[in-house]
Amino acid sequence: MAEPKPESKIPRRNIVYIVLCVLFIILFVFVVYLPTDKWSDELDIKTSEAKFRLHEQQTLIPVFQYLKVESEKVVSDTLPLPPKGKLARAMINNLPGNFAASAKRSGMSLVVARPDLSGLKGDFQALPVNIVLRGGFINFRKFLIGLGGMSYVERIEEILIKEATDTKEFQLRVWVAIG
């Protein structure tokens, strides 16, 4: 004979309540907690990006201020063209030093500045000077501007640019007015 099943001590109504509570908890986790957690992760990412941008801006502010000040400076539109003059014969020995100073101001290194005394006879009016410099194009431009500011420079006859291993070499033949 079959034994009768013992009836559970938990009423059926309570089981329904427990199942409904478990379903509500599961529904709460999937509907409220997980999307909120995902939204929180996205918010953390946005916060870290904002902190990085803020740190970047704080780091770059001195550079920005320097560039702002430099951009507000008025740069002359005209090149320095002093009235043409002549170099005194007694000052010919100072020519290499003058060119070296101009090269230093422009950020270049002067290799040689040698007056070409061959072919000069009697009462010469101009003296060719062979100049060899090392540096970059931007600094060479600055050197040429400085050269134009020397009143005794008559003309630049030739410019030769050679590529060196780590820099460029510039050879110039400059005519200096002698008086």
Side-chain angles (χ1 to χ4, degrees), residues 5 20 35 52 84 100 105 158 169-170:
K5 283 189 175 178
L20 283 176
F52 174 75
K84 292 298 179 186
R105 279 192 303 272
E158 73 179 70
E169 186 174 278
F170 302 90

Side-chain angles (χ1 to χ4, degrees), residues 26-176:
I26 292 173
L27 185 67
F28 177 79
V29 166
F30 284 110
V31 172
V32 176
Y33 180 74
L34 289 179
T36 305
D37 188 46
K38 183 180 177 185
W39 177 75
S40 176
D41 290 343
E42 290 173 359
L43 195 59
D44 288 342
I45 291 171
K46 288 180 181 178
T47 303
S48 65
E49 288 174 355
K51 284 181 181 179
F52 174 75
R53 284 193 310 269
L54 179 65
H55 176 70
E56 189 177 49
Q57 288 177 359
Q58 288 174 343
T59 304
L60 293 176
I61 229 163
V63 175
F64 170 75
Q65 289 173 342
Y66 171 76
L67 291 175
K68 185 177 178 183
V69 167
E70 288 297 314
S71 69
E72 290 173 354
K73 288 183 180 176
V74 177
V75 178
S76 175
D77 291 341
T78 60
L79 293 174
L81 295 174
K84 292 298 179 186
K86 296 185 178 193
L87 185 67
R89 291 181 188 272
M91 302 297 289
I92 291 176
N93 292 338
N94 295 341
L95 273 175
N98 294 348
F99 290 130
S102 181
K104 187 175 183 179
R105 279 192 303 272
S106 66
M108 300 199 66
S109 62
L110 179 72
V111 177
V112 67
R114 184 180 323 119
D116 187 7
L117 301 176
S118 64
L120 296 179
K121 299 174 189 160
D123 191 29
F124 58 90
Q125 297 298 316
L127 173 69
V129 179
N130 296 317
I131 302 172
V132 179
L133 302 159
R134 286 201 180 113
F137 277 115
I138 300 299
N139 294 336
F140 182 61
R141 177 184 178 272
K142 292 177 187 176
F143 177 77
L144 289 176
I145 291 172
L147 206 61
M150 295 179 184
S151 62
Y152 49 82
V153 172
E154 195 172 277
R155 67 179 186 272
I156 299 172
E157 186 172 288
E158 73 179 70
I159 298 175
L160 179 66
I161 302 171
K162 291 183 181 178
E163 185 77 33
T165 55
D166 58 341
T167 186
K168 297 196 181 337
E169 186 174 278
F170 302 90
Q171 296 177 0
L172 292 94
R173 185 171 179 92
V174 177
W175 285 83
V176 175

